[in-house]
Amino acid sequence: MLTPALYRTRITHLRRAPVHHYFEHRSYSWYVDIDRLPELPRWLRPFARFDAADHLDGTPDDTLRERVDNFLADHGIDLRGGTVTALLQARVLGYVFNPLSLFWCHDADGVLRHVVAEVHNTYGGRHAYLLPPDAGQPAMVMKKLYVSPFNAVDGYYLVRAPRPDSELDVTISLHRENQPAFIATMRGERRPAGIRQILGLQLTAPLAPLMGSLGIRVQGITLWLRRVPVVPRPEVAEKERVEQL
């Protein structure tokens, strides 16, 4: 599938425990070849800037490709010579929030070998999960990052993330004790990444990263008002424990 492209997305969140809670919002994401990131006119760059520091770990001088390669190398994987395509949000007026970024990693023959799913929380934390290529079945990974104040760092995710084509269809569910506690989906239709489309999205989905972040916080307040128990962040809980000693 040619890159770059845009996907106008509908993102849904369904919480089944301890209360039933559903919400959705509209946004958009970029689908890019990370070795050939979009080169936009200077006047348009404030609405779509790609910064390697927004993803994975590395030094300030690393490119996004170097950060992906280093992550794979840490898992004993070398795909040099292959391509990596990614679904992510760009910075808009200097702000970015990527709750989920996906990287599809291909070998030199173009065969999809691995998928990297990177999760960000609203506290500045992030964690990347290495997944097998989609084979029609969700991949299971143990949860490693504190994401929501209403979910502890336990359980496991089932992730279904096929490469986007004319349609995007991604599903992640969090499970505990064999019961789904939370399901999120991201679906959308492919659009060309032209100047007209980029400008149009600033009208139909203005400040998309910021609005997505604010929307999550509003839903968090809603759950708090519904008296859903709050699970302290591990670092906060540890600090309180130490102070009590």
Side-chain angles (χ1 to χ4, degrees):
M1 181 61 66
L2 296 177
T3 57
L6 292 163
Y7 285 89
R8 183 73 164 102
T9 55
R10 182 171 69 93
I11 301 167
T12 70
H13 298 256
L14 171 62
R15 181 180 297 275
R16 293 180 173 176
V19 299
H20 188 279
H21 182 72
Y22 174 86
F23 75 96
E24 64 179 62
H25 70 277
R26 299 295 302 273
S27 187
Y28 65 93
S29 291
W30 286 81
Y31 182 60
V32 298
D33 181 333
I34 65 172
D35 289 316
R36 299 177 179 83
L37 292 172
E39 296 183 3
L40 303 176
R42 184 180 297 274
W43 60 271
L44 193 56
R45 292 174 193 171
F47 300 100
R49 183 166 66 85
F50 301 90
D51 191 336
D54 295 332
H55 302 279
L56 305 170
D57 294 326
T59 68
D61 295 328
D62 282 345
T63 65
L64 182 53
R65 179 56 190 259
E66 288 171 334
R67 287 177 175 242
V68 172
D69 284 343
N70 290 339
F71 172 82
L72 295 174
D74 289 342
H75 291 79
I77 301 166
D78 183 356
L79 289 183
R80 285 177 295 182
T83 61
V84 177
T85 56
L87 184 81
L88 44 78
Q89 285 197 341
R91 285 183 172 268
V92 176
L93 298 181
Y95 185 84
V96 71
F97 177 56
N98 274 286
L100 175 67
S101 301
L102 292 162
F103 301 85
W104 289 271
C105 307
H106 311 75
D107 64 19
D109 296 322
V111 178
L112 179 63
R113 294 299 185 185
H114 300 279
V115 179
V116 178
E118 184 184 32
V119 177
H120 289 71
N121 62 26
T122 56
Y123 307 101
R126 60 193 182 196
H127 184 81
Y129 300 89
L130 181 66
L131 311 175
D134 179 77
Q137 298 295 327
M140 184 182 78
V141 291
M142 301 306 295
K143 183 180 179 181
K144 298 292 185 181
L145 177 69
Y146 179 92
V147 177
S148 165
F150 307 103
N151 286 318
V153 186
D154 63 354
Y156 62 91
Y157 292 117
L158 291 180
V159 183
R160 182 180 176 276
R163 282 177 298 188
D165 200 327
S166 58
E167 303 284 338
L168 170 71
D169 188 0
V170 174
T171 302
I172 297 181
S173 55
L174 172 65
H175 298 256
R176 295 192 190 89
E177 298 179 354
N178 299 317
Q179 295 296 321
F182 178 84
I183 301 172
T185 68
M186 179 165 55
R187 299 187 174 99
E189 297 181 354
R190 180 185 175 90
R191 297 182 178 183
I195 291 176
R196 182 171 63 86
Q197 287 77 18
I198 297 171
L199 290 176
L201 286 169
Q202 307 319 306
L203 298 176
T204 58
L207 302 175
L210 178 60
M211 297 308 296
S213 179
L214 290 176
I216 289 176
R217 288 174 167 85
V218 169
Q219 296 304 320
I221 294 172
T222 301
L223 290 170
W224 179 75
L225 291 174
R226 295 182 67 183
R227 300 186 182 278
V228 176
V230 173
V231 179
R233 280 185 286 165
E235 57 270 29
V236 173
E238 177 62 19
K239 180 179 179 182
E240 292 177 349
R241 187 189 70 82
V242 171
E243 290 176 348
Q244 292 173 358
L245 293 179

